[in-house]
Amino acid sequence: MTIPFQRTAATVRGAGAEAAALAHHLVRYPTGIPPERRPRPCPDRPVPPTAPPRHDPVLLLHGFVDNRAVFGPLRRELHRHGWTHLHALNHSPLTRDVRAAAVLLARHVEWAVQAHGGRPVALVGHSLGGLIARYYVQRLGGHELVPEVVTLATPHEGTTAALLPNPFPITRQLRPGSDLLAELRLPAPRCTSRFTTVRAELDEVVLPRRGARLDHPDLAVTDVAVPGTGHVGLPAHPRAVAAVRTALETWAAGPLTERHAC
């Protein structure tokens, strides 16, 4: 009887933590509505030389009907540990198609590569954002510019929550067995991007929860399960933040010739 009681207590604590995370996110949400401001170079003003950044640039992609505010805690933590080129993207809540969103993502990645001296770019996506990132590298050739993808609570195998009635066409692609997910199961022998999937053990959106795992014979995947948190709270959870840092640092520690081979 002790083990079931402990599991119940952990679930209750996790539900409370998820409710608190949702409340905090709702407070932060308005700050993420405006798109991120990107500095524009001034041709009349010389740019002083600076030391090269310690880490390659990172693009952060939020999830369904969310915005870049969800990455506030993660962004602060990465910046504190030396990541200076962090860019959080906002995609429209009216996005109808993962494929179209991935095409737009390609433009952002190309901008980041050019803006940061040709350095490769890492992608970190929460929920739907992770699926957009995966489609880009796996189906649109994005692996040539993006060596590392980290997904947080992403429905790689779909979610039965998308079967509920709603007015958003994109949720059809998130249903188990959708044509999009079938396409992502196709062989991808040329995709060299490495994936880290970070899952919330109390995820209330990705159902069944094993759907946040990425299981593909052609893809290199490291899977991390985070206990005591749900879908909304995962991007800010200390263990999830540590998992993102570990994934990015593992790539950064690779041999320079290997890292820039693409």
Side-chain angles (χ1 to χ4, degrees):
M1 296 297 293
T2 302
I3 294 178
F5 175 78
Q6 291 175 341
R7 290 177 177 172
T8 301
T11 300
V12 171
R13 289 194 299 270
E18 181 71 353
L22 177 59
H24 291 158
H25 183 48
L26 290 176
V27 172
R28 295 194 305 265
Y29 189 92
T31 66
I33 294 176
E36 182 180 83
R37 297 180 61 184
R38 294 176 179 173
R40 297 182 179 180
C42 179
D44 299 327
R45 182 179 303 171
V47 178
T50 58
R54 290 173 51 191
H55 301 292
D56 292 328
V58 179
L59 297 186
L60 307 170
L61 294 83
H62 64 78
F64 181 57
V65 297
D66 207 342
N67 64 40
R68 60 190 179 89
V70 72
F71 291 117
L74 172 62
R75 191 170 186 169
R76 287 192 295 271
E77 182 68 8
L78 290 178
H79 191 271
R80 191 169 69 88
H81 285 85
W83 275 268
T84 55
H85 296 325
L86 298 168
H87 305 284
L89 311 179
N90 272 357
H91 52 81
S92 171
L94 302 180
T95 299
R96 301 172 62 91
D97 180 61
V98 168
R99 300 177 182 91
V103 171
L104 292 176
L105 171 60
R107 300 177 188 175
H108 289 288
V109 171
E110 290 165 4
W111 167 85
V113 170
Q114 294 176 0
H116 300 298
R119 298 173 70 99
V121 176
L123 297 178
V124 178
H126 177 228
S127 194
L128 175 63
L131 206 60
I132 295 170
R134 178 185 170 190
Y135 190 91
Y136 165 62
V137 300
Q138 186 179 333
R139 303 297 298 170
L140 300 183
H143 65 278
E144 296 182 355
L145 301 176
V146 177
E148 185 74 32
V149 178
V150 183
T151 68
L152 300 157
T154 291
H156 290 289
E157 296 297 328
T159 172
T160 56
L163 298 172
L164 298 174
N166 66 80
F168 301 102
I170 199 170
T171 58
R172 299 189 186 99
Q173 297 181 330
L174 306 182
R175 296 170 180 173
S178 71
D179 61 337
L180 177 86
L181 297 179
E183 182 181 352
L184 288 173
R185 285 193 292 271
L186 294 175
R190 296 182 180 180
C191 183
T192 55
S193 300
R194 299 188 309 184
F195 289 82
T196 298
T197 56
V198 184
R199 300 179 288 114
E201 289 192 348
L202 299 179
D203 201 317
E204 70 283 8
V205 175
V206 180
L207 301 171
R209 291 166 182 156
R210 65 176 180 274
R213 297 177 63 99
L214 174 51
D215 185 13
H216 192 292
D218 294 328
L219 302 179
V221 182
T222 299
D223 184 70
V224 179
V226 179
T229 189
H231 193 83
V232 175
L234 185 65
H237 194 281
R239 291 194 183 184
V241 171
V244 174
R245 277 187 53 207
T246 297
L248 298 178
E249 287 172 346
T250 299
W251 162 248
L256 188 62
T257 55
E258 175 186 338
R259 290 175 56 217
H260 293 272
C262 63

